[in-house]
Amino acid sequence: MAKLLRYALYSILSILALLVILNIGFRGWEKYRSGLIHPEFAAAYPEVMSQPACERVTFKARQILENMSQSRYEHRTKVDEEKGLYELDCSGLVGFILGNVAPEQLRAIPTNWYAYRPQAECFQQVFAEAPEEGGEDGWVRVVSLLDARPGDFIAW
């Protein structure tokens, strides 16, 4: 009887822990997504925002390179553009750039249930499933690396 009670208690605690993790993951994603989208970028650079997404991405990437004074590989995204501080990983950088210049494309990227933001595998899945001529969400699959242009993303 004690053994059965212990298993029931462990099961309940496991379910509660899973629910907490899921809740934190979903809230974290909403916080992450809303924190990345910067309307002040669009207001400061209206001429850039009128260009195609690939050119906006290239502009923001160059802006980051010119502004960066410190960078570190981190799985959590922490950016202070005023100080030139960029602590992120590859998918964090892509998410940060898209949040600034192409938030509609960022919204089209799903996230894993356990993550607070899209990870490389999420981008890879969308890229692999994107049509070659362009889709409703703005993503286009580049079939050959020879066809890649500035502003394109690669994920595998």
Side-chain angles (χ1 to χ4, degrees):
M1 181 70 175
K3 195 174 189 180
L4 182 62
L5 186 59
R6 192 174 338 141
Y7 285 135
L9 182 61
Y10 288 149
S11 296
I12 290 170
L13 289 175
S14 297
I15 291 170
L16 286 174
L18 180 62
L19 290 174
V20 167
I21 290 168
L22 286 173
N23 192 24
I24 291 170
F26 292 132
R27 285 185 183 176
W29 167 235
E30 289 305 318
K31 182 179 176 187
Y32 170 81
R33 186 172 9 191
S34 65
L36 282 180
I37 299 169
H38 300 283
E40 56 272 2
F41 182 89
Y45 301 99
E47 70 284 355
V48 173
M49 295 306 288
S50 66
Q51 297 175 2
C54 62
E55 292 184 29
R56 291 179 281 170
V57 165
T58 302
F59 177 87
K60 185 62 182 174
R62 286 187 178 134
Q63 189 181 47
I64 290 169
L65 287 172
E66 292 169 2
N67 181 47
M68 183 175 35
S69 63
Q70 181 181 352
S71 177
R72 184 170 56 190
Y73 184 88
E74 289 285 335
H75 291 294
R76 296 253 183 225
T77 300
K78 180 180 177 186
V79 175
D80 186 336
E81 290 191 279
E82 288 182 21
K83 294 180 181 178
L85 173 69
Y86 297 86
E87 296 179 357
L88 29 66
D89 60 11
C90 58
S91 55
L93 178 61
V94 172
F96 178 75
I97 290 172
L98 290 174
N100 275 265
V101 301
E104 61 281 359
Q105 277 79 26
L106 178 61
R107 286 188 193 99
I109 306 295
T111 186
N112 293 323
W113 65 270
Y114 55 83
Y116 70 98
R117 62 176 173 82
Q119 296 173 321
E121 64 185 304
C122 304
F123 287 101
Q124 188 277 330
Q125 181 179 0
V126 169
F127 298 168
E129 294 172 357
E132 292 178 34
E133 298 298 319
E136 294 176 17
D137 59 9
W139 290 105
V140 178
R141 182 166 35 104
V142 177
V143 180
S144 170
L145 191 55
L146 295 173
D147 297 327
R149 300 184 325 249
D152 289 345
F153 293 107
I154 299 172
W156 68 93

